Amino acid sequence: MKVTRHAASRRRRTRTGTRGLRTTAIAALAATGVVLCLVMALRPGGGSDPGRTVAAPAADAPSSTVQQHMPSRSPSPSPSPSSAPPTATPGASPSKPPAATPGARAAASKPARAVAAEVPSAGRIRPGVTYRGLATHYDAADGNGACLFGPSDGLMIAAMNHTDYETSKACGAYIRVRAASGAAVTVKITNECPLPCAPGQIDLSKQAFAKLGALSAGELSITWSLLSPSTSDTVAVRYKTGSTQYWCGIQVVGHRNPVARLEVRADGAWRSLSRTEFNYFLSEQGTGCGGALRITDIYGEQLQLDGIPVRADVLQPTGVQFRQH
C-alpha cells in the first residue's frame, strides 16, 4: 500500500511537470509572436519589400529633320608634329562628389550612365588643340581658292598648308590666329597652301596678315586653333557644273563647323560619298543625286536635308545650321 501511494504520487508529479513545460513553451511562442509583430509594425514602409526598385523605361529620342547628338567633350586628339599640347579648359575637370551618408547610400539608386555616340574624325585639325607654325601672306584677289567657294564677301581668309588641308577637310573652317605680340585675327579657310608650306603654316591674305604685323616682315611665328563662331548664315548646298541624275558633285557652303561627311539616301540606306581636293563630294554613278542628303560636322551633329534638286552651279539655301561649340 505504501508502494502504491508512492507510485501514484510520482505519476502526478510527472503529469504536473509535463503541463508546466507545455505552458512555458506556449508562453515563449506567444512572446516571440509579439516581438515579430512589433518589428513588422515599426519597419519603414509597413512591411513592403525595400530591396526592389522599378526602373522607368527610357524614352525614345524624338525624330526630327535636324538630328543633333551632343557628347559633352571631344576625345583628346594626338597633336600633329606642329601642334602644342591642348590647353585644359577651366572648370572642365569634374569635382569630387561629396561622400554620401549611410542612409543616402541605402536609398539612392544606381545613376544612369550616358553612352557617347561615335564622333566622326575631325582629321588633323581638332577642337581644343593649339597649333604652332608660321604665318605668311599672299594676294587673295577676290577670295576664291582651292575650296571653290567662289568670291568672298570679306578678305579675312587664309590658305591652309597642304598637310593640314587634308584633301579639303579644312575647307570652311574658322581659325583664330595669334602672333607672339598678342595681336590676333579670325580667318576662314578658303584655299590651300601647297608644298613646301609646312605643317602648322597658315598663308593669310594680306589684309588678315596686316592685323598681326607689318607685311614687310614676310612671316611671323604664330599659334592657331579651331573656332565654332557665331554666325547668321545658314548652310547651303551647291551641285557642281555638269551634275545630273547620273553623275553629280555636291558641295556644302556656309557651315559654321568643318564638315566631316556627306551621305546620300539610296536603296533605303545612307551612303557616304568620297571627298575631292576641290571640296566636292562625288557620286560618280549618280547614286542619290537629287535625293535626301545627310551632312555631319566634326562634332557629330547631323543635318538631314530633303528636296534639294539637281540644279548645277546654283547655291541652294537650307535654312539650317550646325550648333555653336
Side-chain angles (χ1 to χ4, degrees), residues 24 36 49 58-59 62 67 71 85 102 158 174 182 197-198 236 245 248 292:
T24 303
L36 288 174
D49 183 2
Q67 303 171 14
Y174 290 88
C197 276
Q245 60 179 320
C248 67

Side-chain angles (χ1 to χ4, degrees), residues 2-325:
K2 189 174 181 179
V3 173
T4 302
R5 283 198 301 269
H6 176 75
S9 175
R10 186 173 55 188
R11 283 196 297 273
R12 283 196 298 272
R13 285 199 301 270
T14 301
R15 285 196 294 270
T16 302
T18 302
R19 284 197 298 269
L21 289 173
R22 190 177 300 153
T23 302
T24 303
I26 292 171
L29 287 173
T32 303
V34 171
V35 172
L36 288 174
C37 289
L38 286 172
V39 171
M40 294 295 290
L42 293 175
R43 188 173 65 177
S48 61
D49 183 2
R52 189 179 65 173
T53 56
V54 180
D60 292 335
S63 59
S64 170
T65 301
V66 179
Q67 303 171 14
Q68 298 183 347
H69 169 75
M70 173 69 185
S72 58
R73 289 191 58 171
S74 300
S76 298
S78 300
S80 64
S82 60
S83 65
T87 303
T89 305
S93 300
S95 58
K96 185 177 180 180
T101 61
R105 283 197 298 267
S109 58
K110 187 177 181 181
R113 236 177 62 185
V115 179
E118 181 183 355
V119 178
S121 171
R124 289 178 59 87
I125 303 175
R126 310 273 183 111
V129 178
T130 298
Y131 298 86
R132 299 184 185 277
L134 289 177
T136 50
H137 58 79
Y138 74 108
D139 185 356
D142 64 358
N144 199 8
C147 295
L148 296 187
F149 288 134
S152 177
D153 293 336
L155 291 178
M156 292 298 106
I157 57 176
M160 181 61 70
N161 68 82
H162 172 78
T163 304
D164 294 325
Y165 183 79
E166 202 175 3
T167 317
S168 77
K169 284 183 180 180
C171 284
Y174 290 88
I175 62 171
R176 184 72 169 168
V177 183
R178 189 175 299 276
S181 65
V185 63
T186 297
V187 293
K188 179 181 178 180
I189 301 302
T190 62
N191 209 345
E192 176 186 11
C193 184
L195 296 172
C197 276
Q201 183 173 346
I202 305 293
D203 203 23
L204 299 167
S205 68
K206 289 182 177 179
Q207 292 82 349
F209 189 97
K211 299 286 185 181
L212 303 180
L215 294 178
S216 58
E219 62 183 38
L220 295 170
S221 294
I222 57 166
T223 59
W224 56 273
S225 57
L226 183 69
L227 290 183
S228 177
S230 173
T231 179
S232 58
D233 292 341
T234 58
V235 172
V237 170
R238 177 162 50 205
Y239 281 93
K240 197 176 187 315
T241 302
S243 293
T244 67
Q245 60 179 320
Y246 305 107
W247 179 95
C248 67
I250 308 171
Q251 184 185 56
V252 185
V253 181
H255 43 90
R256 170 185 275 132
N257 308 317
V259 170
R261 185 169 64 244
L262 186 143
E263 299 163 281
V264 295
R265 187 78 173 172
D267 300 326
W270 290 106
R271 298 188 180 183
S272 184
L273 299 184
S274 59
R275 192 172 194 168
T276 67
E277 291 200 357
F278 51 88
N279 195 33
Y280 274 86
F281 294 85
L282 291 188
S283 177
E284 300 192 69
Q285 306 302 319
T287 302
C289 294
L293 305 178
R294 188 166 69 180
I295 308 166
T296 306
D297 72 0
I298 63 170
Y299 297 96
E301 184 180 359
Q302 295 180 329
L303 305 178
Q304 185 173 319
L305 309 173
D306 298 310
I308 308 293
V310 178
R311 298 172 61 192
D313 204 26
V314 174
L315 201 60
Q316 301 184 64
T318 66
V320 294
Q321 180 59 272
F322 291 114
R323 181 182 299 179
Q324 186 178 12
H325 293 267

